[in-house]
Amino acid sequence: MTLSVETPPVPELEDVVDPNEYDDAEIMGDTDYRRDELEGLLRDGAWEDAFEQWCSDTDVTADEWEVVLDLDLLAHFDFFWDDFADRVGYHAPGIPEDWKEREIHPDVDSWKTVSSINAGLTELGQLVCEVLKDDYITWESEYEAPEDLPDF
């Protein structure tokens, strides 16, 4: 499926949340998350490249995309450098489990819609990380494993 929409603005990456506070991330070692550098790379084209790739293959519908924009979910993306794992980590925004009780949006009326949006944003986040690492990041991990690790 193809989603034909304009590329949204790059999310601003702020050092307000330690990635270890996310349920879906655990960072070991150095805490230089390089958010400023990552945001610069996103602005230099990584965001647009990843978004175009994502649009060409996503199952998110135009109506679901409107919900994403109405709820300003993209502003809640977070990308950070994980030096220990030599990778870009991310936290994808999503619609919370209590969406029915909160009446979060008039067009969010089924678990199918919620699941589609949440899965789509997770896929976008992963793709952004891959594009950043494969095509934009030029630095090397500074983590050096201890010399006394056992041989496996």
Side-chain angles (χ1 to χ4, degrees):
M1 184 179 232
T2 300
L3 181 63
S4 182
V5 296
E6 288 185 31
T7 302
V10 171
E12 293 182 22
L13 307 182
E14 300 176 12
D15 285 324
V16 294
V17 177
D18 183 327
N20 287 309
E21 293 180 27
Y22 298 129
D23 292 337
D24 56 356
E26 182 178 346
I27 309 300
M28 299 178 70
D30 190 8
T31 58
D32 179 6
Y33 299 123
R34 296 184 158 194
R35 285 184 172 114
D36 289 340
E37 291 168 87
L38 291 172
E39 186 175 331
L41 294 174
L42 291 171
R43 292 187 190 289
D44 288 346
W47 178 256
E48 185 173 355
D49 291 350
F51 189 77
E52 287 176 7
Q53 287 180 42
W54 178 79
C55 281
S56 70
D57 195 38
T58 187
D59 291 329
V60 172
T61 67
D63 289 340
E64 292 166 345
W65 183 248
E66 285 302 315
V67 171
V68 169
L69 296 178
D70 288 348
L71 296 175
D72 197 26
L73 292 177
L74 298 176
H76 300 285
F77 259 114
D78 190 12
F79 298 96
F80 47 88
W81 179 248
D82 181 349
D83 197 59
F84 180 78
D86 190 32
R87 70 177 179 97
V88 178
Y90 74 100
H91 175 74
I95 296 175
E97 290 181 14
D98 63 348
W99 60 271
K100 277 186 178 179
E101 294 83 19
R102 293 173 54 187
E103 298 178 11
I104 202 156
H105 190 281
D107 292 334
V108 176
D109 56 3
S110 71
W111 278 107
K112 180 182 180 300
T113 300
V114 171
S115 295
S116 177
I117 290 171
N118 289 352
L121 292 177
T122 298
E123 291 165 358
L124 175 58
Q126 182 60 45
L127 187 55
V128 169
C129 291
E130 292 168 8
V131 167
L132 280 165
K133 181 73 167 115
D134 295 344
D135 302 333
Y136 286 84
I137 291 176
T138 58
W139 63 74
E140 298 286 326
S141 174
E142 294 178 13
Y143 176 77
E144 292 185 27
E147 292 181 21
D148 60 346
L149 289 177
D151 293 328
F152 292 101

